[in-house]
Amino acid sequence: MATASYGYYRGTIFLAMFVGYTLYYFNRKTFSFVMPSVMQEITLDKDDLGMITSSQSLAYAISKFISGVLSDQVSARWLFSIGLFMVGGINVVFSWSSTVAVFSALWFLNGLGQGLGWPPCGRVLRKWFEPSQFGTWWAILSCSMNLAGSLGPIIATVLAESYSWRTILLVSGMICMAVSFVCLLVIKNEPKDVGLPNVEAAAKKSKGGKSSSDESTLSEFLLSPYLWLLSVSYLVVFGVKTACTDWGQLFLIQDKGQSTLMGSSYMSALEVGGLLGSLAAGYFSDKAVAKQGMRIYGNPRHFILIIMMAGMFASMYLFRVTVSADSPKVWILTLGAVFGFSSYGPIALFGVIANESAPSNYCGTSHAIVALMANIGGFLSGFPFSTIAKHHGWEMAFWVAEMICGITAVGFFLLRNVRTKMGHVSRKAD
């Protein structure tokens, strides 16, 4: 009976978080999805567009860091639901606005609301699922972003033929607000809230109750080189991925002579590839951990990370060099799918590795730090990236992102066998 109860609650809670975070992501990217339609109505140059997107990325970085550190002290279901309601409401107000200043201010607030979404998800997953399943379910939940990203551009483009961009943002915002109430009712913070044994407690008992030996001081944790290797790598991967999702459509249309529909299709292919990449990264890295076990030096998940980062570099190079106005549509979509597969896989894994490599008393802080660095990368992909494009063209901007990605992949390969166990390690274990 207990197993059946766990299955029921795990299923309903996971479904609520998946649908909720799909709406989080869709309403994070609504401006990017309808950008061509907005530019037809309102005069916006590349600096204006960069300012709007960067304002959101900056707020998202701040909010996600704070909510990550405090996630153990705040009700996950309330945090998740409040953020979803806030994001929906801001999209509604955005649909009533017309100036760059208001757009930037509202998208900054949208970013603050967006930061409340993922940390509660990570906390609920840890509470409800076994440690051996954590990576796989984390990857599956992260696919909600790919679902929204793949369907979003197509839905927005199709709806834009019959409705204004304002109507699209208004309706998506109202749906978001309605679903936030459903999430508040369905999501449960942990098994004991519904009278079931705590999963983490059972796992600790099976290990002999020695969880305290995994704890470290804050200074020992922050001085771990691996924490910062993960952070810098995540910054680059997330920044490059964000640049391609935010600006890839305009690059195809303005520089490569492709249609608006082709630009939307490219973004959708990227997200579909990303969905498969997230699942593959979670599943196969869990297999690698099960086979090799966790070590103090090196991590079984590194092999997949390095392969995928190399795939990002290769697909960006081919996209920049080979695509033209006469390129076959299948080739363009294939490059988009390969880039999505190669970029979303590492994004799914960085959070998992940050959690599992940290001391037990700093798991949330570890993820908050690497996520903060990732969102700094997202910020750099906005206004700074668009400034390079304004003065030197999209070709040069994407070349810079491509080079940074390649250098990071090589650096991570060279440092793949550093000590991956953060914080204090006993002399005997070392």
Side-chain angles (χ1 to χ4, degrees):
M1 184 65 185
T3 303
S5 298
Y6 271 115
Y8 168 76
Y9 282 110
R10 283 170 172 166
T12 55
I13 291 170
F14 187 85
L15 180 61
M17 291 195 301
F18 191 93
V19 173
Y21 205 76
T22 299
L23 290 172
Y24 258 109
Y25 192 82
F26 183 87
N27 284 272
R28 184 191 312 171
K29 293 295 183 181
T30 42
F31 177 72
S32 296
F33 294 156
V34 301
M35 195 182 288
S37 299
V38 176
M39 293 175 70
Q40 290 178 358
E41 178 183 331
I42 301 172
T43 302
L44 299 171
D45 63 20
K46 292 175 182 176
D47 282 346
D48 294 332
L49 298 175
M51 184 65 69
I52 295 168
T53 57
S54 285
S55 66
Q56 183 195 55
S57 298
L58 177 62
Y60 182 50
I62 295 170
S63 177
K64 191 172 181 180
F65 176 76
I66 294 174
S67 62
V69 173
L70 299 179
S71 60
D72 288 334
Q73 305 173 21
V74 180
S75 170
R77 70 189 187 98
W78 275 100
L79 199 62
F80 185 86
S81 302
I82 289 172
L84 190 58
F85 184 87
M86 177 179 173
V87 166
I90 290 166
N91 268 263
V92 171
V93 177
F94 193 97
S95 69
W96 302 334
S97 308
S98 299
T99 64
V100 174
V102 176
F103 282 166
S104 298
L106 288 173
W107 232 225
F108 182 87
L109 293 175
N110 184 296
L112 291 180
Q114 291 287 341
L116 303 181
W118 190 258
C121 290
R123 177 184 171 186
V124 172
L125 285 178
R126 287 184 64 88
K127 293 290 186 181
W128 277 97
F129 291 94
E130 302 288 346
S132 60
Q133 303 170 325
F134 184 56
T136 300
W137 285 106
W138 179 294
I140 295 174
L141 184 58
S142 71
C143 288
S144 60
M145 294 183 283
N146 307 109
L147 180 65
S150 60
L151 296 180
I154 299 297
I155 292 173
T157 302
V158 172
L159 290 178
E161 296 178 357
S162 304
Y163 304 96
S164 70
W165 64 268
R166 297 180 185 276
T167 302
I168 296 172
L169 263 70
L170 176 67
V171 173
S172 67
M174 294 179 67
I175 292 173
C176 209
M177 295 168 70
V179 172
S180 69
F181 289 101
V182 177
C183 291
L184 183 62
L185 295 174
V186 173
I187 295 174
K188 308 297 179 184
N189 291 330
E190 53 188 338
K192 73 175 185 180
D193 289 349
V194 291
L196 293 172
N198 192 304
V199 172
E200 287 185 327
K204 289 178 181 178
K205 286 182 180 179
S206 67
K207 293 180 180 179
K210 295 182 179 180
S211 59
S212 60
S213 63
D214 188 37
E215 297 188 354
S216 299
T217 64
L218 180 60
S219 61
E220 288 173 333
F221 163 64
L222 292 177
L223 292 175
S224 300
Y226 188 58
L227 172 66
W228 304 107
L229 173 62
L230 282 180
S231 298
V232 172
S233 301
Y234 199 5
L235 181 152
V236 171
V237 169
F238 192 83
V240 171
K241 189 278 298 184
T242 305
C244 288
T245 53
D246 282 356
W247 306 111
Q249 184 174 357
L250 290 181
F251 182 40
L252 274 174
I253 295 170
Q254 295 181 358
D255 272 32
K256 300 298 184 179
Q258 297 292 330
S259 66
T260 301
L261 181 59
M262 188 65 241
S264 298
S265 299
Y266 169 81
M267 291 179 65
S268 295
L270 188 154
E271 297 291 346
V272 170
L275 187 149
L276 298 176
S278 297
L279 291 174
Y283 178 79
F284 287 111
S285 67
D286 272 357
K287 290 289 186 182
V289 170
K291 182 178 180 180
Q292 302 175 32
M294 296 302 295
R295 304 186 296 266
I296 295 176
Y297 291 89
N299 188 303
R301 304 186 198 271
H302 281 177
F303 177 75
I304 294 176
L305 269 179
I306 295 168
I307 292 296
M308 287 187 160
M309 290 170 72
M312 288 179 65
F313 172 80
S315 59
M316 287 188 70
Y317 172 78
L318 292 173
F319 177 73
R320 183 178 59 84
V321 172
T322 66
V323 173
S324 65
D326 301 322
S327 296
K329 291 181 172 59
V330 174
W331 175 242
I332 298 174
L333 297 180
T334 299
L335 289 177
V338 171
F339 178 81
F341 185 92
S342 302
S343 59
Y344 274 93
I347 288 172
L349 289 180
F350 277 123
V352 174
I353 294 175
N355 270 276
E356 68 186 7
S357 301
S360 59
N361 55 328
Y362 287 112
C363 288
T365 303
S366 178
H367 181 255
I369 291 173
V370 298
L372 173 65
M373 295 294 284
N375 287 292
I376 290 175
F379 171 76
L380 295 175
S381 71
F383 184 68
F385 189 85
S386 64
T387 300
I388 296 175
K390 178 180 180 180
H391 295 289
H392 303 285
W394 289 116
E395 186 88 12
M396 176 61 71
F398 276 87
W399 179 84
V400 170
E402 176 190 316
M403 289 297 105
I404 293 174
C405 181
I407 292 170
T408 304
V410 172
F412 200 95
F413 173 78
L414 296 175
L415 297 172
R416 66 191 183 282
N417 289 322
V418 299
R419 200 186 90 178
T420 55
K421 182 63 178 175
M422 302 177 195
H424 174 73
V425 175
S426 67
R427 191 171 300 176
K428 179 179 179 181
D430 193 28

